[in-house]
Amino acid sequence: MILIFRQGDPGSGACQAVALFGAGLVGRAVVDALRRRGGATFVELPLDWNDASRRADDLTGLTNALLARRDTASIQALDIVWAAGKAGFGAGPDELAREMESFRDILNWTVSVSSLLPGARAGFHLLSSAGGLFEGQRFVDFASPPQPLRPYGVAKLEQEGLVGRLPAGMVTQIYRPTSIYGFSGDGGRSGLINTLILNAKRHSVSRIFGGMDTVRDYVLATDIATFIAARIIRPGTQSQTYLLASGKPASVSEIVRVVSKVIGNPLYLKLDVQPSNASHITFRPSALPLGWRPTDLETGIRLVMRQLSGAFEAGARQSVPRNIAQPKGG
């Protein structure tokens, strides 16, 4: 996890603390967005995701780091960001149960550490999943009830419910992004767009688990991170839930066409006879929040292509399976 201290109000000698759990695709982008704002220091601390006892010790160490900072400069705000979780769209109950155990530990720590910082504003930011909550639904808007079809979506809905039960006075922000794409460096899961780009450069076959007509809504990780960072720096006073979609869904065939155009190489595809991830998921533009400015698809793919190409040509190791490509649920 990453602990961030940002300068508070000028001349106050105070600071804002941000505890970010999960340095994956979106988590790293949030760190980068806060770093670009300047006036912050970043400390990487250990957190054991597998052993509950060791995780408790690591959280105690995190508390001590916050209290040590409080002794030199008052902490006027504490924001906790959950962008963690290795369980993907197709994860099973056992994997998700382990993730939920970690999530509950972080929530309990949030309540505990907030009580040690009286007078400090406390906020919790949850990265949820629009795809997990609304799989198979079309034209989703504010009135659409979440109806998850997979254990992954059920877990995300449970996380949202637990966040909603945090103590009164703690402002919570829940972000529901749609299918995320972007450059994440080494490691992590890869969705349709990244896999197609990498396999095109390798002249490898991409296996498609959705149908060519499967329609999804794709959003760039850096756009999500910019939106989250803005709400960390200038938080509201009321808890809110945000749908982060483009409002311009694209089919798998359209994604293939744009990637082929951008990269300038033919794409080699293998289609599943019985695709396991072929449900359409679309969202109404009217449901998108103020201040949300998604990058258009071709511009975003060009950006990711340049980043992935740089890493590929530099010999950076990628943990992306070479022959698996599917539209991510969220």
Side-chain angles (χ1 to χ4, degrees):
M1 63 82 55
I2 299 174
L3 183 58
I4 305 163
F5 294 106
R6 300 189 66 255
Q7 295 176 358
D9 298 331
S12 68
C15 71
Q16 175 191 21
V18 181
L20 187 143
F21 296 92
L25 177 58
V26 176
R28 292 183 190 182
V30 171
V31 171
D32 290 340
L34 293 173
R35 182 175 283 115
R36 288 194 298 271
R37 301 284 184 130
T41 58
F42 300 80
V43 182
E44 190 165 353
L45 296 173
L47 186 70
D48 195 307
W49 296 102
N50 299 313
D51 187 293
S53 177
R54 292 180 179 177
R55 185 164 57 247
D57 291 339
D58 291 339
L59 289 172
T60 298
L62 175 56
T63 299
N64 292 337
L66 283 167
L67 297 181
R69 180 68 180 223
R70 183 196 62 181
D71 292 340
T72 59
S74 63
I75 296 177
Q76 65 183 22
L78 171 64
D79 285 89
I80 293 89
V81 182
W82 174 272
K86 293 184 178 180
F89 201 55
D94 291 343
E95 185 179 1
L96 288 161
R98 292 191 295 272
E99 183 172 311
M100 288 302 300
E101 181 182 2
S102 298
F103 183 73
R104 290 189 179 91
D105 286 347
I106 301 306
L107 288 183
N108 291 335
W109 174 84
T110 296
V111 174
S112 174
V113 76
S114 298
S115 68
L116 301 177
L117 300 171
R121 176 191 60 77
F124 195 98
H125 304 256
L126 170 66
L127 190 71
S128 184
S129 168
L133 299 180
F134 299 106
E135 183 178 6
Q137 296 190 46
R138 301 293 302 272
F139 311 112
V140 172
D141 60 16
F142 293 116
S144 303
Q147 296 177 339
L149 302 180
R150 301 171 185 252
Y152 175 81
V154 172
K156 289 299 181 184
L157 190 58
E158 183 180 357
Q159 288 179 355
E160 291 191 8
L162 291 170
V163 167
R165 292 194 286 274
L166 284 169
M170 183 175 295
V171 176
T172 60
Q173 310 285 348
I174 296 174
Y175 309 94
R176 293 173 170 175
T178 55
S179 297
I180 305 172
Y181 70 102
F183 178 70
S184 60
D186 295 337
R189 299 187 305 273
S190 179
L192 174 68
I193 291 173
N194 292 40
T195 303
L196 289 174
I197 293 172
L198 284 171
N199 287 345
K201 293 191 71 65
R202 295 166 173 153
H203 303 285
S204 299
V205 175
S206 295
R207 186 178 178 185
I208 304 294
F209 286 113
M212 292 301 289
D213 63 343
T214 297
V215 177
R216 295 286 169 86
D217 190 301
Y218 297 87
V219 290
L220 192 60
T222 52
D223 290 341
I224 298 167
T226 299
F227 189 84
I228 294 174
R231 272 131 202 89
I232 291 172
I233 294 171
R234 293 184 177 86
T237 57
Q238 295 183 341
S239 297
Q240 296 190 58
T241 297
Y242 306 97
L243 174 63
L244 303 183
S246 72
K248 299 177 180 179
S251 66
V252 171
S253 62
E254 183 177 353
I255 296 296
V256 169
R257 178 188 63 79
V258 175
V259 170
S260 180
K261 172 186 174 182
V262 167
I263 203 167
N265 286 344
L267 305 185
Y268 305 99
L269 308 177
K270 179 179 180 180
L271 306 182
D272 266 21
V273 177
Q274 295 181 322
S276 59
N277 192 9
S279 298
H280 303 305
I281 317 173
T282 64
F283 305 85
R284 294 188 187 278
S286 60
L288 307 184
L290 293 175
W292 166 245
R293 297 179 177 84
T295 300
D296 71 87
L297 188 60
E298 183 169 333
T299 300
I301 289 176
R302 288 188 183 278
L303 174 63
V304 176
M305 187 271 291
R306 289 195 297 269
Q307 294 169 325
L308 285 170
S309 295
F312 181 83
E313 292 165 5
R317 295 179 62 188
Q318 300 288 339
S319 64
V320 180
R322 294 190 177 191
N323 64 341
I324 297 176
Q326 56 181 317
K328 293 183 71 176

